[in-house]
Each structure stands twice: as structure tokens, then as C-alpha cells.
Amino acid sequence: MSSSAASRPPWWAHAARPTRPAVPWALLVRAAVGTAVPLFVGLACGRLGFGVFAALGAMHATLNDRMEPARLRVQRIGTAVGASAVGMVIGGALRHFDVPLLAAVVVLTLLGFASGALSATGPRGSAAGMLLLVSAALGDGMAPAHPWWAAGPLMLLGAGLVLLLGLPYRPARPADDPRVQALAAVYEALGGLLTALGTPQGAAARRVLTARLNQLQDLLQDPLSSLLPRPRRTRPTPSPLPQESAHLHHLHRAYEAALAASEAATGLLWAWRPVPPEVAALPSALARQLTSPASTAASTPADSPPNNPASSPPDAPATSKLPDWSPDTPARQALDAALRTAADAVAGRAGDPATAVHAAPAPPPDPWRLRARLLSRGSARYGARVALCVAVAEAVTAGLPLDRAYWVPMTVAFVLKPDLGSVFLRAVSRAVGTVLGVALTAALLSLTTEPWLLAAVAALCVALLPYSAAAHYGLNTAVMTPMALVLVQLGGQSGVAEVGPRVLDTVLASLIVLVFGYLLWPERAPHRIEPRIVTATGTLRAYLLSVTGPTLKDPAPSQVWLRRTAYRALADARQEVRHGLTEPPPAGRQAEAWLPATAALERLGGAVAAYAAQLRYGGRRPEPAEVTRVLAALEQLATAARAHRPPDGRTERPPGPHNPARSALAQAAGELEQLLR
């Protein structure tokens, strides 16, 4: 065992360690008010059952609420709660029409397949698929509303209240826009990476930057190009843009500059070359400028003539300028050009055409993409996985004297949500968190059953969900369990004596998932990692071919998107390895075996960035032989991943900075061949 492996914490330490996210106070307040209002109104009107279903809708909306523009919030929450309402109506229909047991099991199993297939299509599909099955199980087990079909509309009503509470958020100034905040976070992370160049902390700083870029990309996922003005061929002087279009244009330019600066910084990280402290401090200054209270540059038309006094508002803040320095390598020259462009973009200036970075936003979403993913092999496999566990859960609960049998399939749906990491970790954390939550609920219900107080407790638990979900799955379960039990208590269906069986239900559901969705299911940690490795090699291949293509001095827009796609695929592969490390042996050891490959691919991304700088600024011409070596190594690594064979070699970072006279690609090819030998 290598020294690095010996010093790495055991799998259970990875699994138990919570994160410490920032407290989203606005989301917490919104969640508490959105849950408390329907419960209190229901109590005041004597229709508490209606208030409980509306509070469930508010809770499901809270699980999917984010600090983002209103249109994205409506899409995210509407998709999730819409699926939840459909599931509640289906479950309520099964109960209301007293559907025979076998038919109900078949319906829920088919719904489980649809839920799993939908969950595998992406984050929004994952939320919608989980809530579809959860609400169907709840609707089949809870006492129905009167009339029975009213539960779904009541949930939509509760979710609508959460949406309305977020509408007053509309930013009063551009600096308050969540996209601007995310952009500022990107520049802060970029400054952290530049500060860490040439130190052992560089790799961790690069991963932070990639995560911030991923977050910003998600916020900008709507095609910006459709909102920006089209180029005019007949009018030499463009007219001022509408305020919102100018704001989006400003964000777009600053985002492009951040992408270019990130590429240059990644190349410098690979080359182990630091930059002067005053240069490393510029991105943080740009982040402060973006969020400055006096910042009005976002509303300035970015295509205004550079010498027009009207293009700089009198109350605009002082702009940050790149200090005088002499970049002596191609990668440093690339960083210099990108930072100058970033300073111009953040300030709302047109910029110097000589240093402009030409980029493009993500391509518009394909309207058939969801359909293709829903019908893909991966979605079908995950749908079959969920359907199998639901069928087993229904069969087991039908043969056992469980008073609230819906709790078992509901727990199965929560544990099998595909984008929350290791299934093993979630199953164990769910059981432990439920025990803690049940203990807290039992203590509470032994002290009081006052409805008004219980409604306040339920609202408090929902308010804690945004923080606990980001901190740890077990903690989230410990918060969600009291909330669910209190809502059931308010509906008149529970009491202190019925709290204990929920532990048995949860343990039973966790065992079903561990056996049929984990131990007996072939798709465990390495089988999730290896497709990510194959995807990462493919995106790096496309990025390398775009770098060595015909547009060297002026990178094509497609190259920018290929670069971003490659870095995101690398982050996804690293994330899957990290999730695999939380599983016990042998799955944890197999995940650990892929760590060198993911590290090598991340270093290759930096080497390609450094090589791109050499081609653009160093006068180097493409080297077909070295490109062929790297492509052959990438294909060999992808073949090994498809065959479930982690490479046995190890690569070490060469001592000292990279010599800019040497080909960065040649060194990268040598490192990959060393890994694969």
C-alpha cells in the first residue's frame, strides 16, 4: 500500500463526515413561512386536513427551492411539485376506489419504474421522479382529503405560496442577482487558484473553481443567445440595449472571460508556475466590484463605444486594473489577456480587440434531449432497479402486519434518489437518521399534542431542510422524520404509541434497498465510476482535437464549450470516485483504484490548456505525433474502464516548473503512458 493510501481516512470516516455549508437564511425563512401559513389557516378554519396537504406541497417546494431567477424557480419547483401532485392523485385513487392489493402493487411497481427512469435524466428529473413515487405511496396510505382528488391541487396551492414568497426577491440592483453572486464566487475561486499556483493546495483550489463554474453554468442554463441582441449589419452604431438584455450581455461577457482565465490558470497549475501576488489578487477585486453596492456596470450596454462618456455612469465604482507585469511564458500571456478582458467585461467597457477572448454560451437545449434520456439504457436500468425494490417492498409489507405500510415504499424512493451519492451510505444514514428523528418526535409527543405547537414544530423542521440537505443525508433524515410524523399526527392518524414502528419500517426499507438495490444489483460504485471515466476521456479527446484544429489564434466558440464540458466531466468523475470512497470494501477499494486515473485526466486537462497557450502565444505548431500518442492513451484508458480494469501504474508530477520550450502535450503523453504501462 502506498503512503498516500495509508494516510487516507477509512471509508466510514468519509461516510460520517458532514459538510459545513453556508446558512441560506432567505430559504430558511421562506420555508418556515410557506409551511406555517397553510397549517395555521387550516387550524383556524377547522380544516386541518387541507392544511396538511398544502403544507406537504410547501415542503416539497422547499426541497427544490434555490436562490435563482424567478423563471428558473418556477420551472424547478413546478416540475417537482407537479409530479408530486400527480403521484398523490394516483395514490389517492388507489385508496379511494379500494383497488385490489395485487393491482395496487402492479400500479406502484410500474410507477416505480417510471420514477426511476425519470430520476436518471438529470437533477430536475431526479427530484420529480422521487416525489412522484413518494407522493403515490403517501396518497395510498394516508387518510384522503374530502373530496379524495383535492390532495393534489392543495399541494400545488402550498407550493404556489412558496413561489410567491420568493417573488419579492426580484433584485433591486444588478449586484443582488443570484447570477451575479455566482459570477463573483467564480472570480473569488479563480483568485484562490492563482494564489495557490505552485503550492500543494493548487489541485484543491482548482476543484473549488470547477464547482463554482458548474454552479454558474446551471444558473445560466437558459440559452443567453436568444436573449441577446442579434448583430446589426446595416447600422454602424448600435442603439442602447434594453436594461435586462444589457444585464445579460454583461454577465455573458464576464462569464466568457472567467472561462478563458480559468483555462489559463489551469495550464499554469499544471506547469507549476506561480504568478505575482498583485496579479493573483485581481480576480478577488473583480468579485468585489461585481457585488459592490455602487455597481451599475451591469446595466451598461457592453457594446457601447469605448470612448463614449455615456458608457460609464457617473456613479460607477472604480474599476480594477491589471498591474504592470511581464508575462514570460505562453500560459502567463494567456492569463494576462484573459484578465484584461475580464477587467473590461466587469467594468462594462468594450475592451481592446487585441486581447478580446471570443467565446460562446452553452448551446441551446435540445427539445428532444429529455425524451432521449428517458428512453436511454441507463434510465431503463435505473427504472428497473427502483421497480424491483418497490415490488419487493410491496410484497413484504403485504405479508407483514404493518399499520402504515406506505412508509416502506416511501423510504425506498428517498434512498434510491440517484444524485445523492452512495446507495449504501444513504440506506445506513436513513436508518440512523430515522432512529434519531423518531426519538425526538416521541419525546415531543410525550410532552404535548397541542396542534398549534406541533404546527410550529413542523414549520421549524421544514425550515431546517435546506441546510441539513446540504450538510449530510443522515442529518437531513433526522430533520425530515419529525416533520413527517408531526404532519401525520396533525392529520389525526398517529400518536405516541405509533412512533416506534416507523423505525421498523425504515430499517426494513433500508434492508430491501441494501439487498436488492445494492448487494444483488450489479451497478455498484465502480460501475458508476467507469462510465464517468469513459465520458471524461471522450470530452478530453474532443477538447484536444479542437485545440489542435485550424483555429489556433482565434479559438472557435465550440472550443470554449468543449473545454467547459471536459472540465465538468472531470469533476463528475472525481465526484463519483469520492462517493465510492464512502462505501465499504470491496467497493471502496475499487473506487480508490480509480483515483490515479482521475488525477491523471485532471492533469491532462491542464496540459491541454498549457498546450493551447503554447499554440496561441508561443508560436508552437501542432505536433501530430504527440496528439496521436495522447489520443491512443485516452482510448486505452477508456477501454480499461469499459472492461472494469483500473490501470496499475502511478504518475508523479515532475519536479520543478515545466520548461515552456518543451511541448506540454509531449509531457502529458508520457504521464498517461506511465499510468497505463
Side-chain angles (χ1 to χ4, degrees):
M1 181 183 295
S2 66
S3 60
S4 61
S7 62
R8 195 171 294 122
W11 69 269
W12 54 265
H14 284 285
R17 182 185 299 119
T19 60
R20 294 183 178 180
V23 180
W25 292 109
L27 293 182
L28 267 59
V29 172
R30 190 184 301 167
V33 175
T35 305
V37 167
L39 289 177
F40 290 160
V41 170
L43 281 169
C45 298
R47 303 299 298 267
L48 183 56
F50 282 7
V52 168
F53 284 109
L56 276 174
M59 186 268 286
H60 290 171
T62 296
L63 292 174
N64 295 277
D65 202 2
R66 304 290 187 273
M67 293 298 296
E68 58 188 5
R71 180 169 57 178
L72 297 182
R73 286 187 67 240
V74 170
Q75 292 174 356
R76 186 187 303 276
I77 294 177
T79 301
V81 182
S84 181
V86 170
M88 184 63 71
V89 170
I90 293 175
L94 293 176
R95 183 182 180 93
H96 176 74
F97 294 105
D98 197 17
V99 176
L101 177 62
L102 181 59
V105 170
V106 171
V107 170
L108 287 177
T109 301
L110 293 175
L111 206 61
F113 178 83
S115 169
L118 184 60
S119 295
T121 60
R124 292 189 186 181
S126 175
M130 179 194 72
L131 291 179
L132 175 69
L133 184 56
V134 165
S135 295
L138 280 173
D140 186 33
M142 291 180 64
H146 299 287
W148 67 267
W149 48 263
L154 285 170
M155 294 181 71
L156 294 176
L157 187 63
L161 175 60
V162 174
L163 279 172
L164 288 175
L165 290 172
L167 289 183
Y169 160 75
R170 186 176 181 86
R173 55 194 177 94
D176 293 331
D177 191 327
R179 296 167 294 185
V180 175
Q181 299 287 338
L183 180 62
V186 165
Y187 277 102
E188 284 283 1
L190 176 59
L193 175 56
L194 295 181
T195 302
L197 291 177
T199 71
Q201 291 76 36
R206 183 195 57 76
R207 286 192 285 273
V208 171
L209 174 59
T210 300
R212 299 284 174 80
L213 282 169
N214 291 346
Q215 181 184 12
L216 178 59
Q217 181 183 336
D218 290 341
L219 286 175
L220 297 175
Q221 59 188 325
D222 284 349
L224 294 177
S225 56
S226 64
L227 303 175
L228 297 175
R230 299 185 180 276
R232 300 174 176 86
R233 300 186 180 184
T234 59
R235 298 180 62 182
T237 302
S239 60
L241 304 178
Q243 183 174 359
E244 178 63 14
S245 295
H247 178 53
L248 290 171
H249 201 161
H250 174 260
L251 284 174
H252 184 186
R253 291 187 63 223
Y255 174 52
E256 292 172 353
L259 290 178
S262 298
E263 180 190 35
T266 304
L268 287 168
L269 175 65
W270 174 85
W272 203 258
R273 286 194 175 275
V275 295
E278 57 272 18
V279 175
L282 179 66
S284 296
L286 295 176
R288 291 191 297 271
Q289 184 177 334
L290 281 167
T291 57
S292 169
S295 178
T296 57
S299 61
T300 303
D303 52 356
S304 299
N307 296 322
N308 186 355
S311 65
S312 298
D315 56 346
T319 58
S320 302
K321 298 177 65 175
L322 189 67
D324 292 333
W325 71 309
S326 301
D328 55 349
T329 66
R332 284 174 171 167
Q333 292 176 28
L335 178 66
D336 177 79
L339 289 181
R340 293 183 187 279
T341 301
D344 289 335
V346 170
R349 297 188 297 263
D352 183 359
T355 61
V357 179
H358 302 287
D366 183 357
W368 295 101
R369 182 174 57 183
L370 177 61
R371 179 179 177 181
R373 289 182 178 178
L374 194 59
L375 301 178
S376 68
R377 181 179 179 184
S379 294
R381 281 177 59 85
Y382 209 85
R385 187 180 190 180
V386 176
L388 173 63
C389 292
V390 170
V392 173
E394 290 291 334
V396 170
T397 54
L400 295 177
L402 301 176
D403 58 343
R404 297 286 181 262
Y406 65 85
W407 198 275
V408 179
M410 181 186 72
T411 302
V412 167
F414 273 116
V415 173
L416 281 177
K417 191 173 187 291
D419 55 348
L420 293 180
S422 163
V423 170
F424 176 87
L425 174 60
R426 296 203 303 274
V428 174
S429 298
R430 185 83 189 179
V432 174
T434 299
V435 171
L436 294 176
V438 165
L440 292 173
T441 309
L444 171 67
L445 294 181
S446 66
L447 295 175
T448 181
T449 56
E450 169 60 38
W452 291 90
L453 181 58
L454 293 182
V457 170
L460 176 62
C461 291
V462 174
L464 295 175
L465 288 179
Y467 179 83
S468 62
H472 194 275
Y473 186 76
L475 177 62
N476 189 49
T477 302
V479 171
M480 188 179 295
T481 300
M483 179 272 307
L485 292 175
V486 166
L487 287 180
V488 172
Q489 170 74 22
L490 288 173
Q493 308 168 64
S494 183
V496 179
E498 296 188 12
V499 170
R502 301 295 75 78
V503 175
L504 175 62
D505 294 343
T506 302
V507 171
L508 181 61
S510 298
L511 287 175
I512 290 172
V513 171
L514 284 175
V515 173
F516 295 95
Y518 180 76
L519 293 176
L520 299 182
W521 193 261
E523 194 176 51
R524 298 211 294 277
H527 297 272
R528 295 193 310 270
I529 294 169
E530 289 150 0
R532 300 288 191 183
I533 297 290
V534 173
T535 300
T537 58
T539 56
L540 279 172
R541 174 189 176 91
Y543 173 35
L544 172 61
L545 291 176
S546 71
V547 165
T548 57
T551 55
L552 304 179
K553 295 294 183 181
D554 185 14
S558 60
Q559 180 181 323
V560 177
W561 178 239
L562 290 171
R563 179 176 70 230
R564 179 85 274 273
T565 303
Y567 289 170
R568 183 150 198 166
L570 289 172
D572 291 342
R574 168 71 71 167
Q575 181 78 348
E576 283 297 342
V577 171
R578 190 178 69 83
H579 286 161
L581 294 176
T582 64
E583 299 191 3
R589 285 198 299 266
Q590 291 173 320
E592 187 175 346
W594 282 107
L595 271 176
T598 56
L601 290 175
E602 287 173 343
R603 282 186 52 76
L604 175 62
V608 175
Y611 189 63
Q614 287 183 328
L615 293 177
R616 289 181 219 147
Y617 297 94
R620 184 179 293 275
R621 299 185 63 81
E623 298 154 301
E626 306 304 339
V627 174
T628 301
R629 288 177 61 195
V630 174
L631 294 178
L634 286 173
E635 180 58 33
Q636 186 177 348
L637 181 57
T639 301
R642 294 187 187 99
H644 314 298
R645 293 195 312 269
D648 297 328
R650 295 292 184 271
T651 60
E652 299 291 339
R653 194 196 70 79
H658 173 69
N659 182 359
R662 293 185 56 200
S663 169
L665 203 60
Q667 182 170 319
E671 291 182 18
L672 280 178
E673 290 165 353
Q674 184 181 7
L675 173 74
L676 296 166
R677 66 183 179 183

